[in-house]
Amino acid sequence: MFDCANVEMRELLPELVAGSLDASARARVDAHVIACSECASELETLRLVRGAFAAPAVDTRGIVAALPKPLTGPAAITSVAPMKRWVDWRLAAALTMITVGGLSVAIVQRRGTDATGVPIDSVAVAPAIPSGGRAVDSAGAVAGGGTRSDTGSEPAARRSMRPASPRAQLSFNGGVGELDDASIQALLGALDEIDRAPVAPSTEPDRSSVLPVIKDVDR
Amino acid sequence: MAKDHEPNEDPTDLELIARWRAGDERAATTLVERHAPALARFAVSLGQRSDVEEVVQDTFVRAFGSIDTFRADSALRTWLFTIERRLILDRRRAGRRRRDDTSLEEGDAATEFDALDGIVAEEAEGRVRLAVERLSRLQREVFLLRVNEGMSYKEIAEVVGSTEGAARVHYHNALRAVKESLYV
């Protein structure tokens, strides 16, 4: 049992058996097989193999009947349109939120710098600022001893609702109108500094050295 | 070397797919008639003895249901074979779980045809079948895809999830083993 040394011809034998060669290649292989007993023997083996695994009959009509129907015309179009409308709606909502939010901030800042003394009733310093000269820094610590919770100057329920983060130093529950212009300026400056401060704790600078301290604010 | 479709010949698979997408259901009939026999033969060569038609039908249903994922950089037939092979392996695994039969794992030497040995071994065709069925499952798949379908090593590698070089080695090892089984 020897193999033909003509690798190219040997590699074409299975394709000859399967009937996948074009006419010119088939003619070349046929000519080689006539002159090569090894390839003739191998070709016979391959034909035996193909014959032993003949395709069983299948009912192609039944298969076609079971196939899904192609999506054509309006059905194919409407399958895409709802998603597009959904994306459009979300985009519009996001743009609206950004616009309204930006306008609100701009209005608040302009009112805060207004020298005419128009009262600001939408932004207030957190009511934790105690009387008696103690200062509150941006990290929420009360300078001059003690913490905010030990001031005892506000109801406990109100204290419990207050957020603990530095940004929570501001609330929107009124009272800014009672502040003087210098305090409002300091407050807005603190707001700007907080917005500029990095979010990641590892890169966050010491706020006590960056943010101004509000002192002697009477509520 | 392989046959290509020429303008005056039958429409290509891609042309038929486009026609089917446009609503021509006769294109689907042509595609099924073109590929169903090869798929049935491949199913048998993978050891599928019963429900061959059901397997072929499931293959077409799955293929037509996800025709948008078909990429024209491979032949439709190769893609269909890949789907059918996965289907058969899934069915076999599911059946094995049901029977709690752990006799044949993927990649093991084929033993699933042993029950037929005595029946068919005396005939020439039976001896050939036996020789092929004694190959490892991967060798048998590669060998029969090459001999029965005339697939290139690249296409075979795509179907069985291997490499072109590995497919070539599997084919020649399988051919040697079959020859030895028949003639030595």
Side-chain angles (χ1 to χ4, degrees), chain A:
Chain A
M1 188 175 62
F2 298 101
D3 292 332
C4 174
N6 189 332
V7 176
E8 184 196 355
M9 287 296 129
R10 278 194 77 200
E11 288 292 349
L12 292 176
L13 292 178
E15 293 177 36
L16 177 69
V17 171
S20 58
L21 288 181
D22 60 29
S24 64
R26 191 166 58 241
R28 282 197 304 129
V29 179
D30 282 341
H32 173 79
V33 169
I34 290 171
C36 175
S37 60
E38 290 87 1
C39 281
S41 172
E42 189 164 308
L43 185 62
E44 183 59 26
T45 302
L46 297 178
R47 284 186 169 139
L48 277 172
V49 170
R50 186 172 162 81
F53 290 91
V58 290
D59 176 19
T60 55
R61 283 182 303 178
I63 294 172
V64 171
L67 294 180
K69 303 298 175 199
L71 284 176
T72 58
I77 293 168
T78 52
S79 67
V80 177
M83 174 61 82
K84 190 173 187 304
R85 281 201 297 270
W86 166 240
V87 171
D88 290 347
W89 181 86
R90 286 191 301 177
L91 184 62
L95 285 173
T96 303
M97 291 296 289
I98 291 168
T99 305
V100 170
L103 280 172
S104 300
V105 169
I107 289 169
V108 166
Q109 284 186 337
R110 196 164 61 184
R111 286 177 130 190
T113 56
D114 191 350
T116 61
V118 175
I120 298 172
D121 55 5
S122 60
V123 178
V125 175
I129 300 171
S131 58
R134 284 190 294 180
V136 180
D137 66 17
S138 64
V142 178
T147 62
R148 189 183 304 160
S149 62
D150 63 11
T151 60
S153 61
E154 60 183 319
R158 225 175 139 186
R159 286 200 304 270
S160 66
M161 292 172 64
R162 187 182 304 121
S165 71
R167 288 171 191 264
Q169 295 299 308
L170 300 175
S171 65
F172 291 83
N173 56 358
V176 165
E178 300 172 17
L179 299 177
D180 58 22
D181 287 343
S183 297
I184 291 172
Q185 290 289 357
L187 170 64
L188 292 172
L191 272 173
D192 291 341
E193 291 297 338
I194 290 170
D195 287 339
R196 281 196 292 271
V199 175
S202 59
T203 58
E204 191 172 8
D206 181 6
R207 286 203 183 111
S208 63
S209 63
V210 174
L211 301 178
V213 173
I214 303 171
K215 293 183 177 178
D216 298 324
V217 178
D218 292 328
R219 296 195 65 230

Side-chain angles (χ1 to χ4, degrees), chain B residues 27-175:
Chain B
T29 304
T30 307
L31 283 169
V32 170
E33 287 174 347
R34 181 178 289 175
H35 295 291
L39 286 168
R41 186 166 48 234
F42 185 52
V44 170
S45 71
L46 287 176
Q48 192 72 28
R49 290 190 179 162
S50 58
D51 303 330
V52 171
E53 189 169 309
E54 187 181 312
V55 167
V56 174
Q57 178 173 304
D58 286 353
T59 303
F60 276 111
V61 168
R62 190 172 290 193
F64 276 81
S66 57
I67 201 77
D68 290 340
T69 65
F70 170 61
R71 297 287 171 261
D73 52 359
S74 67
L76 177 67
R77 186 180 56 165
T78 305
W79 189 59
L80 290 171
F81 276 39
T82 307
I83 293 171
E84 185 179 51
R85 180 177 185 269
R86 203 173 300 141
L87 262 174
I88 290 174
L89 292 178
D90 288 347
R91 287 168 67 107
R92 200 169 293 170
R93 286 191 192 102
R96 197 177 301 139
R97 276 197 297 272
R98 279 196 300 272
R99 295 190 310 270
D100 195 24
D101 177 7
T102 57
S103 61
L104 183 70
E105 290 299 327
E106 191 171 341
D108 286 349
T111 56
E112 58 200 310
F113 299 93
D114 290 348
L116 281 186
D117 290 0
I119 302 172
V120 295
E122 292 181 7
E123 304 171 13
E125 188 178 282
R127 285 191 294 119
V128 173
R129 285 182 71 94
L130 192 58
V132 172
E133 289 159 0
R134 280 179 174 156
L135 300 172
S136 74
R137 204 203 67 203
L138 192 54
Q139 276 185 340
R140 188 170 66 247
E141 285 180 25
V142 170
F143 185 61
L144 293 179
L145 283 172
R146 185 92 178 114
V147 177
N148 287 347
E149 313 306 331
M151 283 182 142
S152 68
Y153 294 119
K154 185 175 179 223
E155 290 172 320
I156 292 170
E158 197 174 322
V159 172
V160 303
S162 183
T163 64
E164 197 174 335
R168 185 188 299 272
V169 170
H170 281 310
Y171 168 76
H172 285 286
N173 286 343
L175 178 59

